[in-house]
Amino acid sequence: MTTCNPFTLDGKKILVTGASSGIGRAIAIACSQMGADVYLTGRNTGNLEQTLQAMKEGGHQVFTADLGNESDIESLAVQLAPLDGIVHCAGVSFRMPSKRIRKEDIDKIFQPNLYSVLELQAALLQRHKVNKQASIVMLASRAATCPSVGNSVYSASKGALISYAKCLALELAPRQIRVNCICPGMVWTRLITGETLTQELLEEAQAKYPLKRYGSPQDIAYLAVYLLSDASAWMTGSSIDISGGGEGVLA
């Protein structure tokens, strides 16, 4: 009797946006280790090549693209082969008191965190680049439901992403295409170390997590692999918290 591994990604073609660093890079590497052919996209070709060098050998490809540019989105959608998995991981974050928010601040966060996701996903669907029984994974955040000072625009962008994903899951269910969100707590990437928060504050805050640490990109990558695999075949429209037990973004 042959036992099939439901967690394998063998033979799957998976697109990972934001694959040049951080969580996106970790997801791309983990997918390659599980047998997938991974299509990497991001704005920095050099960083994408570094990700590629860290991956297990396979039919991987690099596509340099600025997902804030409509023509780049269209070009990417045209070039890609039909996909079995998509990970929308590109995003930005910065903190600002709500009373100082300007339209350009909203656009700066909503463009990569929300607008680009909607535009790219629409382009892929219109060009029939998403196979039946594919899995779509979106990197949201605990910030959508756990408020923290100065984080209102970022939190709003991730809350909107979760709402979009739930609607998309219903629309794509007839084709057995699944859509789920990952909602991490704080993860050690440049996204948080580049903020105005000091290293001392970050160290103090992570000690309050029940597991006594922030997450690593690999922690998130392993959950993404599960959602991309057939092991999660009965899961769609879900938003999964992964936060080391932390109740708040900086708790």
Side-chain angles (χ1 to χ4, degrees), residues 135-251:
S135 175
I136 300 170
V137 179
M138 302 191 182
L139 264 293
S141 173
R142 285 274 294 164
T145 54
C146 295
S148 61
V149 173
N151 215 26
S152 58
V153 180
Y154 177 78
S155 296
S157 74
K158 294 302 186 179
L161 183 65
I162 292 170
S163 294
Y164 163 72
K166 289 181 179 294
C167 292
L168 186 64
L170 290 177
E171 293 181 17
L172 299 183
R175 295 182 61 211
Q176 298 294 301
I177 297 172
R178 299 176 290 110
V179 185
N180 295 288
C181 289
I182 296 175
C183 300
M186 296 291 272
V187 177
W188 283 114
T189 68
R190 287 184 296 179
L191 201 64
I192 66 168
T193 57
E195 288 185 339
T196 55
L197 302 171
T198 66
Q199 184 73 18
E200 182 180 7
L201 176 60
L202 292 170
E203 294 284 356
E204 289 178 1
Q206 78 165 347
K208 298 177 182 178
Y209 274 49
L211 294 184
K212 304 302 180 185
R213 68 174 179 90
Y214 287 162
S216 70
Q218 289 75 24
D219 291 323
I220 312 306
Y222 298 147
L223 177 54
V225 166
Y226 167 68
L227 292 174
L228 291 165
S229 75
D230 294 342
S232 58
W234 201 51
M235 179 176 290
T236 195
S238 296
S239 299
I240 306 171
D241 285 354
I242 176 169
S243 62
E247 289 300 318
V249 176
L250 282 175

Side-chain angles (χ1 to χ4, degrees), residues 58-200:
H60 317 308
Q61 296 183 54
V62 168
F63 297 90
T64 304
D66 179 355
L67 299 183
N69 185 306
E70 187 175 343
S71 63
D72 279 15
I73 287 177
E74 287 301 317
S75 177
L76 179 62
V78 168
Q79 294 178 74
L80 289 169
L83 301 165
D84 304 299
I86 303 167
V87 183
H88 292 284
C89 194
V92 300
S93 174
F94 66 87
R95 291 174 183 263
M96 174 178 292
S98 295
K99 67 179 181 181
R100 295 183 182 174
I101 294 170
R102 302 165 297 173
K103 184 179 184 302
E104 51 262 44
D105 300 317
I106 299 172
D107 289 342
K108 185 176 179 180
I109 286 184
F110 269 67
Q111 180 61 58
N113 291 8
L114 182 66
Y115 302 156
S116 294
V117 176
L118 273 63
E119 292 170 14
L120 174 59
Q121 189 59 61
L124 293 172
L125 291 169
Q126 290 163 12
R127 293 187 176 277
H128 307 288
K129 293 299 178 77
V130 185
N131 290 329
K132 289 183 178 180
Q133 299 183 324
S135 175
I136 300 170
V137 179
M138 302 191 182
L139 264 293
S141 173
R142 285 274 294 164
T145 54
C146 295
S148 61
V149 173
N151 215 26
S152 58
V153 180
Y154 177 78
S155 296
S157 74
K158 294 302 186 179
L161 183 65
I162 292 170
S163 294
Y164 163 72
K166 289 181 179 294
C167 292
L168 186 64
L170 290 177
E171 293 181 17
L172 299 183
R175 295 182 61 211
Q176 298 294 301
I177 297 172
R178 299 176 290 110
V179 185
N180 295 288
C181 289
I182 296 175
C183 300
M186 296 291 272
V187 177
W188 283 114
T189 68
R190 287 184 296 179
L191 201 64
I192 66 168
T193 57
E195 288 185 339
T196 55
L197 302 171
T198 66
Q199 184 73 18
E200 182 180 7

